[in-house]
Amino acid sequence: MARTYRIAPSILSADFARLGEEVQSVVAAGAELVHFDVMDNHYVPNLTIGPLVCEAIRPLVKVPLDVHLMVKPVDRIVPDFARAGANIISFHPEASEHVDRTIALIKDQGCKAGLVFNPATPLSFLDHVIDKLDLVLVMSVNPGFGGQTFIRQALKKLAAVRARIDATGRDIWLEVDGGVKVDNIAEIARAGADTFVAGSAIFGAKDYKATLAAMRAELAKA
Ligand code: DX5
Ligand code: ZN
C-alpha cells in the first residue's frame, strides 16, 4: 500500500537569529510540517522555546505546526500552545500523571494528539489509548539535543508500532525523531515510519530544497 510520507524539519537546528526566514525556506523547499522541539530543562536537560515562538511563526506558514513537548508536568502548557497556533501536540507519557486526560485536554483544544516514546519507554503505554491518538512519535535518540546518532533499536520499535497502528485500521501517523538523515531515511521508512523529523540534516545543509529532494528520492525507493 503506497504510504504518504511527510518531512517535518525541527527548528531546533535552525538559525534562531533568522527563524522566520528559516521556517519559510524549509516550507518553500517542500516540508509538510514544522516540528517544534519544546524543552524545559526539567524533563530533558536542555531549554528551548515557549508558546511565544509558536505564536510568532504561526502567521508565516500555512503548514501544520507539530509541537513536541519535552516538558513535565505537561498539562499546564498545552492550552498555551494550542492558542499560539499548534496543530499537533505530542507529549511523553512519563510527563503526565494521567495520560488519557492529557490526550483529551489536547483534543479539547482542537489539536491532534501524539504520544512520544523514548528509546526505553515501553509500548504498553499504547494499550489503553491507541484509538484516541492521531500520532505516535518514536524517538530514535534520547531527547534533549539535535545532532545525535540514530539509535538503531528504534527500527524494531517502529515496526512494532506500525503493526499496532495497522491493527486499529485508523489513520494514525507514525513519526520518528532523532538522527534522521538522507542515508538512513529509506531504511526507517521500510521499518514503518511515515513522518520524519529532521533537524541537523536539513538546517545543517546549505541547500534545503536539495536536501528535502534527496530525502524524497530515498523515500521513493523505500
Ligand atoms: C531531541 C530532538 C531532536 C531533534 C532532531 O530531543 O527532538 O531529535 O528533533 O534532531 P536531529 O535531526 O538533528 O537529530
Ligand atoms: Zn522532537
Side-chain angles (χ1 to χ4, degrees), residues 10 12-13 35 37 39 68 70 139 141-148 177-181 197-201:
S10 161
L12 192 62
S13 301
H35 188 80
D37 279 313
M39 302 180 191
H68 171 194
M70 290 163 270
M139 293 302 293
V141 295
N142 287 292
F145 302 92
Q148 299 180 83
D177 183 349
V180 176
K181 308 292 179 197
V197 175
S200 49

Side-chain angles (χ1 to χ4, degrees), residues 20-147:
E21 289 161 52
E22 290 273 76
V23 169
Q24 288 174 315
S25 305
V26 285
V27 171
E32 282 90 352
L33 304 166
V34 177
H35 188 80
F36 283 63
D37 279 313
V38 181
M39 302 180 191
D40 65 356
N41 195 40
H42 173 237
Y43 180 63
V44 293
N46 198 355
L47 183 63
T48 60
I49 58 173
L52 272 180
V53 174
C54 187
E55 198 175 346
I57 297 296
R58 179 65 282 173
L60 303 181
V61 293
K62 292 204 174 0
V63 299
L65 302 186
D66 172 29
V67 174
H68 171 194
L69 296 180
M70 290 163 270
V71 170
K72 182 171 185 174
V74 64
D75 288 6
R76 217 314 279 135
I77 206 75
V78 165
D80 299 20
F81 272 100
R83 259 195 307 279
N87 300 94
I88 303 164
I89 297 180
S90 55
F91 69 101
H92 292 250
E94 301 92 336
S96 167
E97 295 306 327
H98 302 280
V99 172
D100 184 84
R101 181 180 286 145
T102 303
I103 292 169
L105 172 66
I106 292 168
K107 296 173 88 166
D108 289 350
Q109 303 292 318
C111 297
K112 290 184 181 299
L115 201 55
V116 190
F117 290 80
N118 285 330
T121 304
L123 294 179
S124 52
F125 277 109
L126 288 174
D127 291 356
H128 307 292
V129 295
I130 190 167
D131 287 315
K132 299 180 177 176
L133 293 174
D134 300 295
L135 175 141
V136 175
L137 172 49
V138 172
M139 293 302 293
S140 36
V141 295
N142 287 292
F145 302 92

Side-chain angles (χ1 to χ4, degrees), residues 77 106 165 173 185 196 199 221-222:
I77 206 75
I106 292 168
I165 286 174
W173 294 4
I185 198 168
F196 304 85
K221 290 188 263 175

